[in-house]
Structures are given as C-alpha cells and as structure tokens.
Amino acid sequence: MFHRPIHVLFLAERNSSRSILAEALLNRLGAGRFEAYSAGVTPAVAISPYAIALLHRINYNIQTLVPKGIEAFGAADAPELDFVFRLSHHLPKGRLPQFKGNPRLIDWFLPDPEDVMGSPAMIATAYADLFGALCSRIETLSQMSPAFLAGEAAPDRLERMGEAYIRLAA
C-alpha cells in the first residue's frame, strides 16, 4: 500500500503535448493522492501552443510545466516512481533509464496530435480528441483505490483502459 502520494511519470517523445497534458490532468484530478510528472526522450523547446490553449481552457496554471528530458528521472535526486506510462510506441522498454522505486510500466499508446497536418481547426480537433482520451483514462485512474493500484491486477487493468479507444481509431 502507498504511504505517500502515488508518483506517476508520463513519457512521450518530445514532452510537449501528450505527456504534458497527462501530467496536468492527473495533478488536477488526483490532487493530494497523486503526484504526476512528464518527460520526453528528446524534449521540445516549448509546450505546444495547442496544449497551452487546452490548459488555459481548464484554468490550469502552466507556469510549472516545461518540457523535460527522461534522464532527469534516472538521476540520484529523482523522485521514487510507482508507475511510468509510455504514451508513445516509439519508447522501447529497453532504452529507458533505471527509475527509482521499481515502477510498473504501463503502455497507453496515443496518437501524437503534433503529427497532424492540415488546417488549424483540424489540428485543434486532434488535440481535443487526445484530451478527451486522456481525461477519460486519468479520471478513472484518479478514482482507483491505493489498495487496488498496489495489487497485482492493476497493470493489466490500466493497460486495457484504452482498448475501446484503439478499436475506434482503427
């Protein structure tokens, strides 16, 4: 069982959209029970303006959000992690740093809205779709009991959260 907030790291390639939005959502929805972080393999210089617009819409203070590299979470002073969520299939398990805390690795592969080409309205729609998928999963995660999250069934349940989303996207 957890005797402190549950520490969660969201990983993506650039840490400018998916992982930043996930970090903000879990810190909002799981306040007091969870501490969320985000990082990228090759961090962007700045957060996507579309992600910033979504965060402003929910009145989230973006001052604490900056793209970070994954190596910061393998450092000696890094927080002890309970879960690491890979949001991109481009992040092979074997190339991740050794995280403190022996976290459970969960795959939530979601499309990167930064890959969408087209009008600003099409790109904004891709971000809104991503935000909806993240909200659904993170709201469910934030309501799970610490006892369940510490149990053996948690990783499988967490990974299966997105199956309906994947089927709809196929």
Side-chain angles (χ1 to χ4, degrees), residues 29-100:
L29 296 173
R33 294 186 54 232
F34 291 85
E35 276 187 41
Y37 309 92
S38 66
V41 174
T42 48
V45 175
I47 299 171
S48 159
Y50 291 94
I52 290 172
L54 282 168
L55 293 169
H56 279 304
R57 200 171 304 151
I58 63 168
N59 295 317
Y60 194 89
N61 179 2
I62 64 166
Q63 300 303 324
T64 60
L65 297 174
V66 294
K68 296 166 286 308
I70 193 174
E71 61 280 345
F73 292 91
D77 62 344
E80 187 173 315
L81 298 172
D82 301 300
F83 293 94
V84 173
F85 287 82
R86 292 188 313 159
L87 303 179
S88 170
H89 64 279
H90 298 297
L91 304 173
K93 293 179 183 180
R95 292 189 25 214
L96 299 177
Q98 183 64 41
F99 297 114
K100 285 174 61 178

Side-chain angles (χ1 to χ4, degrees), residues 7-158:
H7 293 175
V8 175
L9 175 63
F10 293 100
L11 296 178
E13 287 130 301
R14 294 178 291 276
N15 189 218
S16 62
S17 297
R18 291 173 288 190
S19 52
I20 288 282
L21 291 170
E23 174 187 358
L25 283 167
L26 185 55
N27 281 331
R28 164 74 57 85
L29 296 173
R33 294 186 54 232
F34 291 85
E35 276 187 41
Y37 309 92
S38 66
V41 174
T42 48
V45 175
I47 299 171
S48 159
Y50 291 94
I52 290 172
L54 282 168
L55 293 169
H56 279 304
R57 200 171 304 151
I58 63 168
N59 295 317
Y60 194 89
N61 179 2
I62 64 166
Q63 300 303 324
T64 60
L65 297 174
V66 294
K68 296 166 286 308
I70 193 174
E71 61 280 345
F73 292 91
D77 62 344
E80 187 173 315
L81 298 172
D82 301 300
F83 293 94
V84 173
F85 287 82
R86 292 188 313 159
L87 303 179
S88 170
H89 64 279
H90 298 297
L91 304 173
K93 293 179 183 180
R95 292 189 25 214
L96 299 177
Q98 183 64 41
F99 297 114
K100 285 174 61 178
N102 195 27
R104 295 172 175 197
L105 185 62
I106 309 297
D107 290 331
W108 278 2
F109 299 146
L110 294 167
D112 189 348
E114 291 187 28
D115 291 341
V116 173
M117 301 295 169
S119 70
M122 289 173 64
I123 297 168
T125 297
Y127 272 86
D129 291 346
L130 168 68
F131 194 71
L134 285 170
C135 282
S136 174
R137 293 177 191 201
I138 290 172
E139 183 175 20
T140 301
L141 169 63
S142 71
Q143 294 173 5
M144 291 179 170
S145 73
F148 176 78
L149 289 170
E152 293 300 314
D156 186 53
R157 168 77 167 99
L158 291 169

